[in-house]
Protein backbone atom coordinates (compact mmCIF):
# COMPACT_ATOMS: atom_id res chain seq x y z
CA UNK A 1 0.00 0.00 0.00
CA UNK A 2 1.18 3.49 -0.73
CA UNK A 3 0.34 6.82 -2.23
CA UNK A 4 -0.15 6.47 -6.01
CA UNK A 5 -0.39 10.20 -6.69
CA UNK A 6 -1.23 13.32 -4.71
CA UNK A 7 -4.90 12.36 -4.23
CA UNK A 8 -4.87 8.57 -4.38
CA UNK A 9 -3.90 5.47 -2.46
CA UNK A 10 -2.58 2.48 -4.38
CA UNK A 11 -3.25 -0.98 -2.95
CA UNK A 12 -1.60 -3.99 -4.54
CA UNK A 13 -1.03 -7.68 -3.96
CA UNK A 14 0.50 -10.76 -5.57
CA UNK A 15 1.27 -14.41 -4.87
CA UNK A 16 -1.79 -14.97 -2.68
CA UNK A 17 -3.12 -18.42 -1.86
CA UNK A 18 -5.00 -19.94 -4.82
CA UNK A 19 -8.19 -20.18 -2.72
CA UNK A 20 -8.54 -16.37 -2.51
CA UNK A 21 -11.62 -14.99 -4.26
CA UNK A 22 -12.11 -11.65 -2.49
CA UNK A 23 -9.98 -8.83 -1.09
CA UNK A 24 -11.42 -6.56 1.62
CA UNK A 25 -9.58 -3.36 2.62
CA UNK A 26 -10.29 -1.47 5.83
CA UNK A 27 -8.99 1.74 7.33
CA UNK A 28 -8.95 3.37 10.74
CA UNK A 29 -7.62 6.46 12.49
CA UNK A 30 -6.19 4.19 15.23
CA UNK A 31 -4.06 1.07 14.90
CA UNK A 32 -6.53 -0.97 16.95
CA UNK A 33 -9.67 0.27 15.17
CA UNK A 34 -12.52 0.77 14.89
CA UNK A 35 -12.20 -0.22 11.23
CA UNK A 36 -14.28 1.05 8.31
CA UNK A 37 -14.60 -1.05 5.17
CA UNK A 38 -13.04 0.88 2.29
CA UNK A 39 -13.04 -1.62 -0.60
CA UNK A 40 -14.35 -5.07 -1.51
CA UNK A 41 -12.78 -6.51 -4.65
CA UNK A 42 -13.57 -9.84 -6.30
CA UNK A 43 -10.38 -11.63 -7.25
CA UNK A 44 -9.79 -14.63 -9.49
CA UNK A 45 -6.03 -15.00 -9.96
CA UNK A 46 -4.15 -15.03 -6.67
CA UNK A 47 -0.69 -15.49 -8.20
CA UNK A 48 -0.68 -12.53 -10.60
CA UNK A 49 0.27 -9.04 -9.39
CA UNK A 50 -2.72 -6.73 -9.12
CA UNK A 51 -3.25 -3.16 -7.93
CA UNK A 52 -6.15 -0.76 -7.52
CA UNK A 53 -5.93 2.97 -7.02
CA UNK A 54 -8.49 4.82 -4.88
CA UNK A 55 -8.96 8.57 -5.09
CA UNK A 56 -9.32 9.74 -1.50
CA UNK A 57 -10.32 13.21 -0.32
CA UNK A 58 -8.95 12.44 3.16
CA UNK A 59 -5.41 11.78 1.89
CA UNK A 60 -4.09 14.53 4.19
CA UNK A 61 -5.18 12.58 7.29
CA UNK A 62 -3.01 9.69 8.55
CA UNK A 63 -4.89 6.39 8.47
CA UNK A 64 -4.07 2.78 9.24
CA UNK A 65 -4.97 0.28 6.51
CA UNK A 66 -5.36 -3.48 6.61
CA UNK A 67 -6.34 -6.02 3.98
CA UNK A 68 -8.12 -9.34 4.36
CA UNK A 69 -7.85 -12.11 1.77
CA UNK A 70 -10.98 -14.28 1.81
CA UNK A 71 -11.93 -17.57 0.20
CA UNK A 72 -15.16 -18.44 -1.64
CA UNK A 73 -16.96 -19.22 1.65
CA UNK A 74 -16.01 -15.79 3.00
CA UNK A 75 -13.49 -17.10 5.54
CA UNK A 76 -10.45 -14.92 6.18
CA UNK A 77 -7.40 -16.79 4.84
CA UNK A 78 -4.87 -14.03 5.63
CA UNK A 79 -4.75 -10.50 7.05
CA UNK A 80 -2.09 -7.97 6.05
CA UNK A 81 -1.40 -4.89 8.13
CA UNK A 82 -2.28 -2.66 9.79
CA UNK A 83 0.00 -0.22 8.00
CA UNK A 84 0.09 3.53 8.72
CA UNK A 85 0.04 5.81 5.68
CA UNK A 86 0.97 9.37 6.61
CA UNK A 87 0.07 12.40 4.46
Amino acid sequence: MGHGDANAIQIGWQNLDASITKIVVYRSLAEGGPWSQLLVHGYSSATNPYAVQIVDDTIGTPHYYKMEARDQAGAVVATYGPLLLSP
Side-chain angles (χ1 to χ4, degrees):
M1 289 183 226
H3 298 292
D5 67 32
N7 296 317
I9 297 167
Q10 185 171 346
I11 302 167
W13 53 86
Q14 64 183 14
N15 297 324
L16 299 178
D17 186 273
S19 67
I20 303 303
T21 60
K22 185 185 297 182
I23 300 296
V24 183
V25 178
Y26 301 89
R27 77 171 170 192
S28 174
L29 292 171
E31 186 173 9
W35 295 94
S36 297
Q37 187 173 290
L38 182 63
L39 169 74
V40 176
H41 184 70
Y43 189 62
S44 62
S45 180
T47 58
N48 293 333
Y50 194 88
V52 293
Q53 189 165 320
I54 302 169
V55 175
D56 187 355
D57 61 354
T58 64
I59 199 84
T61 304
H63 282 96
Y64 286 88
Y65 292 83
K66 71 177 182 176
M67 182 178 85
E68 291 178 346
R70 297 183 179 205
D71 64 16
Q72 188 171 6
V76 176
V77 175
T79 300
Y80 305 93
L83 174 69
L84 176 63
L85 292 182
S86 298

